[in-house]
Amino acid sequence: MHITTIAVSYSRKFNLGNFNSVDLSCSLWAQIDAEEDEDCCIAILQDKAREAVRSEYHKVKSNQGPVPTIKINGAVVEDSIPESEQFEALSVHPAHLQ
């Protein structure tokens, strides 16, 4: 059997303190050729997804405030952040609900 596409997902929940947390995730896909090593491609995608989540966490953590963008059932509660910097969070800070 020849695999042509590999998909990897990585998700992690971070405690931001003060009853606030963020759940960050990244999904990556890659098209591979028959001569490429599937295990090597999987490892590369896993590393890239993990690093993307870590990078986003450091952006959130350096802000030192509540999570700036929250999606509830697909609707953005606060949309003042550019779409390129938005991420989904499972926990909701009470200030965002007013």
Side-chain angles (χ1 to χ4, degrees):
M1 178 173 74
H2 171 63
I3 296 174
T4 58
T5 304
I6 295 175
V8 170
S9 293
Y10 180 79
S11 179
R12 183 162 174 201
K13 182 175 249 180
F14 294 95
N15 180 3
L16 300 176
N18 210 15
F19 301 103
N20 198 8
S21 64
V22 63
D23 191 5
L24 301 172
S25 63
C26 179
S27 296
L28 300 173
W29 294 266
Q31 299 285 333
I32 63 169
D33 294 326
E35 62 275 357
E36 290 183 279
D37 182 14
E38 297 147 2
D39 293 330
C40 182
C41 291
I42 290 169
I44 290 169
L45 289 176
Q46 287 173 333
D47 288 343
K48 287 185 179 288
R50 191 174 12 258
E51 187 56 40
V53 167
R54 279 192 199 124
S55 175
E56 194 63 33
Y57 167 70
H58 290 296
K59 288 180 193 176
V60 171
K61 191 66 175 168
S62 66
N63 187 16
Q64 296 300 318
V67 178
T69 303
I70 296 178
K71 293 184 180 182
I72 301 173
N73 295 330
V76 176
V77 175
E78 182 180 322
D79 59 359
S80 62
I81 307 296
E83 189 170 330
S84 62
E85 295 180 19
Q86 292 182 5
F87 54 90
E88 290 190 23
L90 295 181
S91 63
V92 178
H93 191 277
H96 294 296
L97 297 176
Q98 298 174 357

